[in-house]
Amino acid sequence: MASRFCKLVISDINLIKSNNVRFYPAIKVYGKPPHLAKNFETKLAEMNYKDPAIYYKVDIGLPFPARDRREITKTRLKFLREQRKNSDIEIISNRGEHIIPLADVSVEWQRTIGPFHLKNVAEHYGIFNDLFGDAYFYPQVPLDISFRHGDDLIPVFRGNDVKPSQATQAPEVNYEADADTLWTLILTNPDGHLSKENSEYVHWFIGNIPGNDLKKGEVVWDYLQPFPPFGTGFHRFVFVLYKQEKRIDYSKLKKAAPCLDLNERTFVTYDFYREHQDDLTPGGLAFFQCDWDSSLTDFFHKTLDMKEPVFEYDFPPPYIRKQEWFPRRMPFNIYLDKYRDQKEVSKDILLRKLKNVHPFKKAPPQLPFPNAVPIDKKVPSWLVDEIKRERQGWGRAVYHNEE
């Protein structure tokens, strides 16, 4: 009896479950279940896959100096042990009074992992891809670059923002180099060419620099300030420092100063490096970003003697469906303005503005709390909304622009 009772109870429970399930809508599963399907990262890797036998990166930079990792590890461990034994450092650290010399930290960072970080940042901004194609390098020569703007110094780090008005004069460049070595420094803009694709504007070119004395170098192109046109967003301005194997003849590239013809400043880093790759090795890198400001209007007109280029996005005309007799959930004044002539709408807006303007009287003051002033309940809903907008200084122009 007990076993028969259990069978009856189980059958009743299954019947209840089956009856409950049929009341729920059927769920159709598309694709594979989550534990078998590919995730987004895997799909992107398959879509962007490139054959390593064809697409591979080449290191064209300076070779790293030989370093004994064991000695470096021993030195660091020895330093840490000495610091832990020093009770004074522990006391001032607990008080928050321990001062760390940032200059020493920066030197240690540049000497150890700084080149790797700079290389990753440059790859993130697409600098190697746009300048050298499938090549890259580790910036092992630290560049200290800053623009003088009045009494201030505007430094160049790794993609920081520098305005055109702050970079009107050539920057101050410092780096460590032996006096018997030769270097080439180039400042180029891969984003700003106005007429040619995959081309750059060279803003500064100094070759055959003895050591780090730029004043004794050969000026191939004199300095030209950044001029990103209006509407083109941020441009990348890249300093690349090359180490020369010998003295290079730049007479074919050299332009007389001041070189204000933009066509003569057309430059392609990829072609330049391929031509001189046996004698040049990139060793230093720094870059900043720059966008348009109001000072460039005079620069285009007075310095470059040209009309200022302005880039604007040409929006397509809005789609307006066929007019209906009874549009739902749409105030009729807003709805009808879509099908009216633009000039008529602008004329109505102007007349409503001039209605409250008097040549000899002051304009009526605005309400301090426009939403707190009651509106007659007999006023229709579409007009209530319009009155509120006018009180807040929005007006009917907003209706037309929003649609």
Side-chain angles (χ1 to χ4, degrees):
M1 289 295 293
S3 60
R4 186 182 299 177
F5 177 75
C6 292
K7 290 180 180 179
L8 290 174
V9 172
I10 293 172
S11 62
D12 293 341
I13 293 174
N14 292 333
L15 180 60
I16 294 171
K17 287 184 178 180
S18 62
N19 291 337
N20 289 337
V21 167
R22 66 181 182 181
F23 288 104
Y24 288 94
I27 300 175
K28 189 174 181 180
V29 180
Y30 296 91
K32 297 181 180 180
H35 65 283
L36 297 177
K38 298 177 182 178
N39 57 15
F40 183 66
E41 184 178 359
T42 305
K43 291 183 178 180
L44 280 181
E46 292 179 355
M47 290 172 58
N48 300 327
Y49 174 76
K50 293 183 178 180
D51 189 356
I54 301 175
Y55 302 96
Y56 58 91
K57 298 290 184 179
V58 180
D59 187 359
I60 59 175
L62 296 171
F64 279 95
R67 296 173 183 173
D68 190 352
R69 294 186 177 180
R70 293 182 180 179
E71 291 297 329
I72 295 175
T73 304
K74 289 180 181 179
T75 304
R76 290 181 176 176
L77 290 175
K78 183 180 178 180
F79 175 77
L80 290 174
R81 289 168 185 169
E82 292 177 355
Q83 295 295 315
R84 289 172 180 172
K85 292 179 181 179
N86 193 341
S87 59
D88 296 335
I89 293 179
E90 183 179 0
I91 293 172
I92 61 177
S93 297
N94 293 333
R95 294 176 180 175
E97 300 174 354
H98 189 196
I99 299 175
I100 300 176
L102 295 180
D104 297 343
V105 175
S106 178
V107 171
E108 180 68 15
W109 173 78
Q110 292 173 353
R111 189 181 65 85
T112 54
I113 60 175
F116 298 93
H117 289 174
L118 289 174
K119 184 248 184 184
N120 292 336
V121 172
E123 282 187 338
H124 174 75
Y125 280 92
I127 290 176
F128 293 136
N129 186 46
D130 293 340
L131 295 185
F132 299 99
D134 292 328
Y136 68 93
F137 65 93
Y138 291 93
Q140 299 188 48
V141 182
L143 288 175
D144 183 11
I145 303 175
S146 57
F147 290 95
R148 185 167 293 279
H149 179 61
D151 297 332
D152 301 328
L153 281 177
I154 311 299
V156 175
F157 294 114
R158 295 162 290 277
N160 59 312
D161 185 13
V162 178
K163 295 300 181 183
S165 57
Q166 299 173 338
T168 57
Q169 303 298 325
E172 301 175 5
V173 181
N174 295 307
Y175 57 91
E176 294 183 2
D178 297 333
D180 58 347
T181 56
L182 293 174
W183 301 81
T184 294
L185 180 66
I186 298 177
L187 171 60
T188 181
N189 174 15
D191 302 321
H193 207 287
L194 298 174
S195 56
K196 293 184 179 180
E197 292 187 22
N198 302 323
S199 297
E200 311 156 24
Y201 281 135
V202 57
H203 286 257
W204 204 22
F205 192 129
I206 302 179
N208 299 314
I209 304 171
N212 56 3
D213 192 353
L214 270 70
K215 296 181 180 179
K216 296 182 180 179
E218 178 185 0
V219 180
V220 182
W221 271 287
D222 62 322
Y223 178 77
L224 183 67
Q225 75 162 77
F227 53 90
F230 180 85
T232 57
F234 284 93
H235 290 207
R236 298 164 296 172
F237 291 84
V238 187
F239 292 90
V240 182
L241 181 67
Y242 300 88
K243 186 178 182 181
Q244 300 178 201
E245 299 296 330
K246 62 179 182 179
R247 190 172 187 86
I248 300 176
D249 183 13
Y250 289 127
S251 58
K252 294 181 180 179
L253 298 175
K254 193 172 184 178
K255 305 296 180 183
C259 181
L260 300 177
D261 187 357
L262 298 183
N263 292 326
E264 293 184 354
R265 286 187 175 267
T266 300
F267 188 75
V268 180
T269 300
Y270 183 82
D271 296 339
F272 168 77
Y273 177 73
R274 287 192 64 180
E275 182 179 355
H276 301 282
Q277 60 182 342
D278 295 334
D279 302 323
L280 290 177
T281 305
L285 178 71
F287 66 99
F288 65 93
Q289 298 185 86
C290 188
D291 62 338
W292 181 90
D293 67 1
S294 57
S295 66
L296 290 180
T297 302
D298 291 338
F299 176 77
F300 277 106
H301 293 166
K302 297 179 181 179
T303 304
L304 297 181
D305 193 18
M306 61 178 290
K307 185 179 179 180
E308 182 183 9
V310 176
F311 293 84
E312 296 180 353
Y313 184 77
D314 189 10
F315 290 93
Y319 169 75
I320 301 176
R321 64 183 183 181
K322 190 176 179 181
Q323 194 168 0
E324 301 174 0
W325 278 103
F326 303 102
R328 295 183 178 180
R329 298 181 180 179
M330 180 67 68
F332 80 93
N333 58 332
I334 301 177
Y335 182 77
L336 292 178
D337 280 350
K338 294 181 180 180
Y339 304 93
R340 294 178 61 192
D341 188 4
Q342 292 268 351
K343 295 182 180 180
E344 293 183 3
V345 176
S346 301
K347 182 179 178 180
D348 289 347
I349 295 171
L350 180 61
L351 290 176
R352 298 192 68 169
K353 289 181 178 179
L354 294 176
K355 185 178 179 180
N356 295 326
V357 177
H358 195 277
F360 305 108
K361 296 181 181 180
K362 294 183 179 180
Q366 294 184 353
L367 298 173
F369 304 102
N371 291 334
V373 179
I375 300 175
D376 190 358
K377 294 182 179 181
K378 296 181 180 180
V379 176
S381 60
W382 64 268
L383 188 55
V384 170
D385 189 35
E386 187 169 342
I387 292 173
K388 289 181 179 179
R389 285 174 173 262
E390 287 185 0
R391 287 179 177 180
Q392 295 175 358
W394 296 350
R396 286 181 64 187
V398 175
Y399 290 155
H400 187 71
N401 291 336
E402 287 181 349
E403 297 301 320

